[in-house]
Amino acid sequence: MPRILDGTRVRDEIKNELKPRVAALAAHGRPPGLAVALVGHDPGSEIYVRNKIKTCQELGIYSETLRPPETITTDELLRTVEELNRRGDIDGILVQLPLPKQVDAKRILLAVSPEKDVDGFHPCNVGNLVAGLPGPRACTPAGIIEMLKRYEIPMAGRRAVVVGRSDIVGKPVALLLLHQHATVTICHSKTPDLPSVCRQADILVAAIGRPAMITADYIKPGAAVIDVGMNRLDARADAARIFRNSPEKLASFDKKGNVLVGDVDPFGAAEVAGAYTPVPGGVGPLTIAMLMANTVAAAERRAGLC
Ligand code: GUN
């Protein structure tokens, strides 16, 4: 039986480790502060942001959600970010992606002060990551490394294959795995014979956004499979195909009208992998835990505590 890599357990460990650091900051003057800008009403983003704010409250981190209108221009959002850069009580700024089409997301991310960039998306911090210098790391990639470390899954000398080359997950997780001395391959939609490349992986990271695309024939027996996908299935035929062996999931679909699935076929992973992250409850909870860790670290740096 493969090991299930439980993201909620690791998230709770990380949160418990952060609590005394938040208390020390509060005793030093004020708690850490996080501002989240959420433009529009993307349902996925609404859920992410709600969970981020709830976790701040649990930890005693001050948080603020800004909800500019969906019609906001790049210049208006730049002014919002610049105001947050100036605020003394805000240590971390997160602009939730995706942004509406009329907004130039690259200019917005460039405007966030690198010291307050708790997403690790600013080019300065991407440069710090490439060079192995200190700085905030993108939250989902950092959470994946935390998960592998805490489950004592060796990375040094192992083959890691990352499927997906996004700026948010694929590229940064590949660099973090490289810094852990893995031999890393990045694959994407133009990679020939993807299953055979994936089958070489001791650590397989799926971050493509395609429901259950990574089936058993992509997985080396015993590999650690990290599923970053979070896809909502709305068609019953898709749910019935993917969850053919799971009456509970199908019952849940029939009740709610949709069901979540990752980029990895859950039955393929259960049959072949040595360890895998479930969806939900795998990588997702760690993204928020690492955002909290980045916010606390930014506050400590500003307070001169580290
Ligand atoms: N949208 C999906 N994931 C993320 C993330 O990690 N940060 C931000 N800012 N937006 C996202």
Side-chain angles (χ1 to χ4, degrees):
M1 278 292 279
R3 273 199 298 171
I4 295 179
L5 307 175
D6 181 355
T8 56
R9 208 203 83 193
V10 176
R11 172 199 63 195
D12 290 345
E13 269 177 33
I14 294 170
K15 276 166 64 179
N16 284 333
E17 291 161 13
L18 290 173
K19 278 177 190 161
R21 292 168 62 188
V22 173
L25 279 158
H28 190 259
R30 59 168 181 81
L34 173 68
V36 179
L38 172 59
V39 185
H41 300 280
D42 177 73
S45 295
E46 300 254 3
I47 297 171
Y48 279 132
V49 169
R50 205 180 315 132
N51 287 332
K52 286 168 184 171
I53 300 301
K54 186 170 145 249
T55 312
C56 283
Q57 285 163 352
E58 286 163 8
L59 287 177
I61 295 175
Y62 170 75
S63 67
E64 208 170 285
T65 313
L66 291 89
R67 307 244 13 191
E70 188 137 30
T71 52
I72 195 165
T73 63
T74 302
D75 283 342
E76 285 163 343
L77 192 53
L78 281 174
R79 279 194 288 278
T80 304
V81 168
E82 280 155 11
E83 171 58 25
L84 292 171
N85 283 341
R86 279 191 291 271
R87 285 211 6 218
D89 58 337
I90 294 298
D91 304 291
I93 301 170
L94 182 142
V95 181
Q96 185 68 27
L97 302 176
L99 286 167
K101 282 193 291 293
Q102 78 278 8
V103 176
D104 184 341
K106 284 216 153 80
R107 274 184 73 201
I108 301 296
L109 297 182
L110 197 58
V112 174
S113 157
E115 288 74 35
K116 295 190 177 187
D117 168 35
V118 283
D119 257 329
F121 291 167
H122 191 285
C124 282
N125 289 322
V126 176
N128 286 330
L129 164 65
V130 174
L133 294 170
R137 305 299 193 225
C139 302
T140 302
I144 292 169
I145 300 297
E146 249 346 278
M147 179 85 104
L148 293 169
K149 281 187 178 166
R150 288 176 191 239
Y151 274 94
E152 297 181 350
I153 292 172
M155 292 175 265
R158 298 302 164 105
R159 257 181 194 280
V161 172
V162 178
V163 191
R165 54 176 156 178
S166 69
D167 292 336
I168 295 184
V169 181
K171 284 185 214 166
V173 79
L175 282 158
L176 289 174
L177 286 162
L178 185 64
H179 292 328
Q180 297 296 322
H181 314 289
T183 301
V184 184
T185 303
I186 306 179
C187 301
H188 47 76
S189 53
K190 303 260 188 303
T191 302
D193 198 3
L194 187 60
S196 79
V197 181
C198 290
R199 272 198 308 274
Q200 296 182 9
D202 302 303
I203 299 166
L204 179 61
V205 180
I208 24 194
R210 296 263 218 108
M213 191 189 109
I214 303 296
T215 46
D217 52 323
Y218 288 65
I219 302 172
K220 174 178 174 174
V225 179
I226 307 293
D227 189 352
V228 186
M230 188 69 93
N231 310 292
R232 209 179 74 175
L233 299 178
D234 295 310
R236 194 177 194 286
D238 292 336
R241 180 174 45 80
I242 292 169
F243 292 111
R244 60 201 172 279
N245 297 339
S246 175
E248 309 86 59
K249 286 275 185 186
L250 274 176
S252 160
F253 179 95
D254 289 335
K255 202 161 143 211
K256 289 194 297 187
N258 61 65
V259 66
L260 274 184
V261 67
D263 291 348
V264 178
D265 168 27
F267 300 103
E271 268 169 28
V272 186
Y276 69 95
T277 59
V279 175
V283 170
L286 289 182
T287 299
I288 297 184
M290 299 318 288
L291 173 67
M292 299 299 121
N294 281 348
T295 304
V296 171
E300 288 171 342
R301 274 194 295 273
R302 287 181 75 226
L305 290 182
C306 67

